[in-house]
Amino acid sequence: DQQVKQNSPSLSVQEGRISILNCDYTNSMFDYFLWYKKYPAEGPTFLISISSIKDKNEDGRFTVFLNKSAKHLSLHIVPSQPGDSAVYFCAASWTGNTGKLIFGQGTTLQVKP
Amino acid sequence: DTEVTQTPKHLVMGMTNKKSLKCEQHMGHRAMYWYKQKAKKPPELMFVYSYEKLSINESVPSRFSPECPNSSLLNLHLHALQPEDSALYLCASRVGPSHEQFFGPGTRLTVL
């Protein structure tokens, strides 16, 4: 049972345009969501997170939107840069657990110059 | 110091060998994690240590043995591994009640 789903395995975007990565979840207990970026042969790098009490969180070029009723979140990258090309993982967690993260399968983003 | 370090970066071992992976953080984080990641898959949780005590073992085979000697150090002892255990092994740490985990660069393990 996949509780966190990233239905698009890959996404290709032109440099300077917006990249939108999507994530859906099924467990209503999740109250915190995170996005990680991963280059090959490296550990994931934390990008941005959002609590369920918010519907938007912004950090520079990265914005995460949360739609609780739809159990859907998205990561917007504007403008996209070639260095953003990586695998992006959505992850979910819930208050009271020992910090266990439930990851989606990942979306590979390619930003073309 | 906002870094999680892992050694070695690469490890090749035979199925009869005993080896250890090491993870270190000096951020004062009191929760530390071991993950296993196969190509094109998300990280898969193996163990969680909270305040130097093992709090979660995700039904990991006993050929993997974790150890937390102190609040900054996490080891993963490996013995009698199988070729299918070849993967990227990631360590992560987390501060207090926050949810964000910070990952090390990983150890690329190959079992022959």
Side-chain angles (χ1 to χ4, degrees), chain A residues 31-32 34 36 38 40-46 49 89 93-101 103-106, chain B residues 9 31 33 35 37 40-43 45 48 50 55-56 58 88 90 94 99-106 108:
Chain A
D31 58 8
Y32 206 85
L34 308 92
Y36 284 86
K38 188 178 184 305
E42 292 185 13
T45 302
F46 169 71
S49 60
F89 289 101
S93 184
W94 63 100
T95 303
N97 86 93
T98 49
K100 183 172 178 176
L101 296 179
F103 285 91
Q105 294 297 303
Chain B
K9 192 170 175 62
Y33 305 76
Y35 287 86
Q37 186 172 28
K40 300 189 186 300
K41 295 288 187 183
L45 183 65
V48 180
S50 180
S55 60
I56 293 180
E58 292 284 295
L88 182 68
L90 295 161
R94 177 177 68 96
H99 296 261
E100 289 84 2
Q101 293 182 23
F102 297 91
F103 285 82
R108 171 66 60 189

Side-chain angles (χ1 to χ4, degrees), chain B:
Chain B
D1 186 354
T2 58
E3 210 178 4
V4 176
T5 60
Q6 289 186 246
T7 54
K9 192 170 175 62
H10 300 278
L11 179 62
V12 180
M13 59 187 291
M15 289 191 284
T16 58
N17 292 157
K18 284 186 181 181
K19 297 285 184 184
S20 296
L21 309 184
K22 180 180 170 181
C23 172
E24 208 160 355
Q25 58 88 14
H26 296 286
M27 297 179 279
H29 293 178
R30 301 313 297 267
M32 296 183 76
Y33 305 76
W34 279 115
Y35 287 86
K36 171 182 177 179
Q37 186 172 28
K38 293 274 204 177
K40 300 189 186 300
K41 295 288 187 183
E44 180 185 332
L45 183 65
M46 300 174 72
F47 301 104
V48 180
Y49 272 84
S50 180
Y51 290 87
E52 298 152 54
K53 291 192 184 335
L54 183 65
S55 60
I56 293 180
N57 176 341
E58 292 284 295
S59 303
V60 179
S62 59
R63 58 185 184 268
F64 295 92
S65 175
E67 179 197 18
C68 189
N70 60 58
S71 60
S72 300
L73 191 55
L74 188 65
N75 297 320
L76 186 63
H77 303 296
L78 314 172
H79 173 55
L81 294 194
Q82 305 295 310
E84 58 265 29
D85 296 322
S86 298
L88 182 68
Y89 286 84
L90 295 161
C91 173
S93 69
R94 177 177 68 96
V95 60
S98 79
H99 296 261
E100 289 84 2
Q101 293 182 23
F102 297 91
F103 285 82
T107 293
R108 171 66 60 189
L109 174 68
T110 302
V111 182
L112 300 176

